[in-house]
Amino acid sequence: MKHIKFTLSFLLAIVISTTAVTAQQNKTIGIQLYSVMPAMNSDAEGSLKRLAGIGYNACELVQWGGDSNVFGMKPSEFKNACSRNGI
């Protein structure tokens, strides 16, 4: 009987952990790029890669002053950089 309870508990733990990982993968985890502005201004592509490596998959831009470029890139270039990094 103890073996059955252990086996059932083990199987339940596997199902719960698998469900938790799947739910976490579907979450949107974003960052305001204002918080990492010095890094973005220095190396936008590299910063996006590092942010994606940490787990961010969304970002909020900070833009003011009438410049249509985003961290020195045209909007389409920035969008492509984000897409390449899963953001």
Side-chain angles (χ1 to χ4, degrees), residues 10-86:
F10 182 73
L11 290 174
L12 182 60
I14 291 173
V15 169
I16 290 171
S17 63
T18 303
T19 303
V21 168
T22 302
Q24 187 176 21
Q25 290 172 346
N26 293 330
K27 287 186 179 180
T28 300
I29 302 171
I31 185 168
Q32 293 178 333
L33 295 180
Y34 181 84
S35 2
V36 290
M37 191 178 304
M40 290 296 296
N41 284 331
S42 174
D43 179 15
E45 181 92 30
S47 296
L48 290 171
K49 185 175 182 176
R50 285 190 298 278
L51 290 169
I54 294 169
Y56 291 104
N57 57 14
C59 66
E60 180 180 8
L61 294 176
V62 55
Q63 204 62 17
W64 60 77
D67 186 5
S68 63
N69 286 334
V70 184
F71 297 109
M73 293 185 251
K74 293 181 184 219
S76 60
E77 293 171 343
F78 184 78
K79 180 184 181 297
N80 290 337
C82 288
S83 295
R84 278 192 300 276
N85 289 291

